[in-house]
Amino acid sequence: MKYFSFFTFFLFSPFLLSCSSDDSADYKELPSLLERQLAGGETTVFINTSNAYGTPAPNLSAADLALHLTGDLIFESVYVTPPNKVNGGLGPIFNNSSCISCHPKDGRAPFPANINARSGFFMRVSLPGIAENGGPVPVPGFGLQVQNQAVFGVEPEAQFQVTYSTIVEEFADGTKITLRKPHYSLVESYISVPANILLSPRIGSPVFGLGLLEAIPEADILADIDATDANRDGIYGKANYVYDVISKQTKLGRFGWKANTASLLEQCAAAFNNDMGITNYVFPYETGYGQSNGDDGLNAGLEIPNATVDAVTFYTQTLAVPASRFHENQQVRNGARIFEEIDCAKCHKPKQKTGPSPIKALAHQTFYPYTDMLLHDMGEGLADGRPDFMANGREWKTRPLWGIGFQYLVNGHTQFLHDGRAANLTEAILWHGGEAERSKDKFKQLSKKERDDLLAFLNSL
């Protein structure tokens, strides 16, 4: 979002590299902890401001930087109703009117105070079963996403409603944490909602570093699958293979909370269409096409140029990754050790490498996203019961942890998970179940100091 110069990169790098050393004899050295400061490889920026997620990769060429900045401008643009010639095309039904509204400062949206106000919250829906393309079955009259906003004279598809129950988790030292479990429903719908509808809430997630994740060789991701649990650690990992709208082929899913999208181009084009109701060359029909309330009948054709979709895609591919921090701090180093010992790193895999990439700045990078890019059973507590291609209702893709320590500075909150239900990192860990149940149990056995050390490590990322 904001230009961060090569000069600034080199100005700060020596300072961070020369942080004070630690001489504790008790510390078990992690061999690669210091090098992890280059969280995005050569796309890393050293920045400690609220623009930590919104800086272009410092190794972009001049031409690529210009395209990135064009995409940045579009990402922040507010769209309005047609036939306005400037940023027209919004609706007739939609969830929000700009990319930045769902990804504030290129980061994570908070759970909204008013669930039906424009925000980064939305609801995926489907019926039980498998569609012809192998994906979820659209709900007649609603499709695969409920639009709770509409232009003047059009009725939104429905409004959202949430109630809560509580779950109490207790640490070995007697400390108790009360988790709030949300229960969602649709109300005020324009037509009746099928009784067997499946709901899956979502919160807009950070968009930096995505080009690196797109460039990880598929074979490297598949190599981390342990389908038979050969090492008996209870962790399997599974790839999601999805229908790619662009190539019309089945491909490895990489993006979305359930890895249900193969490429950033499709992810961005789908966001224009599903979130804002804007047709484009990947999705040429209104999201409410054929519906009584979501089809304006204008047959306006493509509402944004191809170059607009491509520029926003490039923008999400080339945002820099903020450097991790405090590598010589004793508490952080202890936390890194605990992260390994309680097996967090088995799914939140620290190190990845990219292969070839059409974007030179992304090619052959070693970086530290803390994700294996695989689906894992996360237990009944997080289950949405909604399958999405090969992901079942209990499986979610391992979220990257890079930059997580900047979230409060950038976005002003510490909410996490797919619907923002966790109020902080401790709650996020306590929501883990399924393949992560053993790690959660080990976390609950830690002393308060050890828990604080682990959190210090996470907040250094």
Side-chain angles (χ1 to χ4, degrees):
M1 177 198 301
K2 302 294 183 292
Y3 181 69
F4 191 78
S5 69
F6 285 103
F7 173 78
T8 312
F9 175 81
F10 288 113
L11 177 65
F12 281 86
S13 296
F15 170 76
L16 290 174
L17 287 167
S18 63
C19 290
S20 61
S21 62
D22 182 270
D23 58 359
S24 171
D26 297 330
Y27 177 67
K28 299 178 181 178
E29 184 75 35
L30 287 177
S32 60
L33 190 57
L34 182 60
E35 71 181 26
R36 296 184 195 180
Q37 70 176 329
L38 293 176
E42 294 176 13
T43 75
T44 304
V45 288
F46 293 84
I47 183 171
N48 287 297
T49 75
S50 60
N51 290 322
Y53 298 161
T55 302
N59 59 338
L60 293 177
S61 67
D64 283 350
L65 178 59
L67 180 56
H68 175 100
L69 296 177
T70 298
D72 184 1
L73 183 63
I74 298 168
F75 197 84
E76 297 191 17
S77 297
V78 176
Y79 284 83
V80 297
T81 56
N84 196 305
K85 294 187 180 302
V86 178
N87 297 336
L90 181 70
I93 52 177
F94 60 98
N95 293 116
N96 220 319
S97 56
S98 69
C99 305
I100 200 74
S101 296
C102 292
H103 307 279
K105 296 184 75 65
D106 305 296
R108 193 184 314 271
F111 190 86
N114 176 358
I115 195 172
N116 284 304
R118 294 188 191 183
S119 72
F121 179 90
F122 63 97
M123 191 76 73
R124 291 276 167 79
V125 295
S126 60
L127 294 179
I130 301 174
E132 288 185 5
N133 66 0
V137 178
V139 181
F142 297 90
L144 294 173
Q145 181 171 319
V146 172
Q147 283 76 32
N148 67 330
Q149 309 288 332
V151 302
F152 180 75
V154 178
E155 188 178 1
E157 288 183 322
Q159 298 292 288
F160 308 138
Q161 181 172 275
V162 60
T163 59
Y164 295 92
S165 59
T166 58
I167 300 171
V168 177
E169 293 279 2
E170 183 172 359
F171 291 101
D173 63 9
T175 301
K176 294 182 179 178
I177 302 291
T178 300
L179 306 177
R180 292 206 312 165
K181 182 172 184 176
H183 305 276
Y184 299 98
S185 58
L186 301 179
V187 296
E188 302 178 29
S189 56
Y190 83 104
I191 57 175
S192 297
V193 175
N196 58 345
I197 192 171
L198 304 175
L199 306 180
S200 188
R202 297 283 193 278
I203 280 284
S205 55
V207 295
F208 65 86
L210 301 184
L212 293 170
L213 301 180
E214 192 170 39
I216 300 172
E218 181 171 335
D220 289 359
I221 296 173
L222 301 184
D224 289 323
I225 296 174
D226 184 9
T228 61
D229 192 22
N231 60 5
R232 304 287 183 182
D233 62 359
I235 299 172
Y236 298 82
K238 179 174 127 183
N240 196 2
Y241 278 96
V242 304
Y243 178 74
D244 177 54
V245 173
I246 298 165
S247 67
K248 303 189 187 312
Q249 297 178 343
T250 298
K251 290 190 172 183
L252 175 68
R254 294 172 183 261
F255 302 105
W257 286 94
K258 286 179 176 279
N260 68 342
T261 306
S263 72
L264 286 171
L265 173 57
E266 181 176 339
Q267 184 85 358
C268 292
F272 271 115
N273 190 239
N274 293 325
D275 300 350
M276 293 188 276
I278 298 173
T279 57
N280 56 74
Y281 77 96
V282 181
F283 295 96
Y285 297 103
E286 297 282 7
T287 186
Y289 180 75
Q291 295 182 187
S292 60
N293 75 323
D295 188 349
D296 57 15
L298 294 177
N299 298 316
L302 304 187
E303 294 171 315
I304 51 175
N306 297 0
T308 296
V309 179
D310 293 343
V312 167
T313 301
F314 190 81
Y315 176 71
T316 63
Q317 289 171 320
T318 53
L319 279 166
V321 179
S324 57
R325 304 162 293 172
F326 315 128
H327 304 95
E328 303 301 326
N329 179 281
Q330 181 66 59
Q331 187 178 28
V332 169
R333 297 168 80 178
N334 284 337
R337 175 179 54 81
I338 294 167
F339 186 80
E340 301 275 353
E341 289 179 350
I342 67 173
D343 293 337
C344 304
K346 289 192 172 179
C347 298
H348 291 285
K349 181 181 177 181
K351 187 176 182 178
Q352 294 281 5
K353 293 182 179 180
T354 61
S357 170
I359 302 172
K360 186 177 179 181
L362 304 178
H364 306 295
Q365 297 294 314
T366 298
F367 62 105
Y368 297 87
Y370 292 86
T371 174
D372 60 5
M373 299 288 287
L374 295 173
L375 299 169
H376 293 275
D377 183 330
M378 294 301 293
E380 192 59 33
L382 286 176
D384 63 357
R386 179 180 181 269
D388 202 337
F389 292 96
M390 296 181 70
N392 66 35
R394 291 166 57 102
E395 292 174 328
W396 300 90
K397 192 191 83 172
T398 306
R399 303 306 301 176
L401 298 180
W402 53 8
I404 203 168
F406 287 95
Q407 184 173 305
Y408 184 77
L409 179 64
V410 174
N411 294 129
H413 69 90
T414 57
Q415 298 169 4
F416 298 102
L417 300 179
H418 64 281
D419 58 356
R421 67 179 62 185
N424 50 51
L425 288 171
T426 295
E427 288 195 13
I429 297 170
L430 292 174
W431 273 110
H432 283 51
E435 295 177 40
E437 186 79 29
R438 293 183 188 178
S439 291
K440 181 183 78 172
D441 290 342
K442 291 176 183 177
F443 176 63
K444 291 168 67 175
Q445 294 300 313
L446 298 176
S447 68
K448 183 177 186 310
K449 179 188 180 303
E450 291 170 324
R451 298 199 301 270
D452 288 345
D453 287 354
L454 178 62
L455 296 177
F457 168 66
L458 293 174
N459 281 309
S460 76
L461 300 179

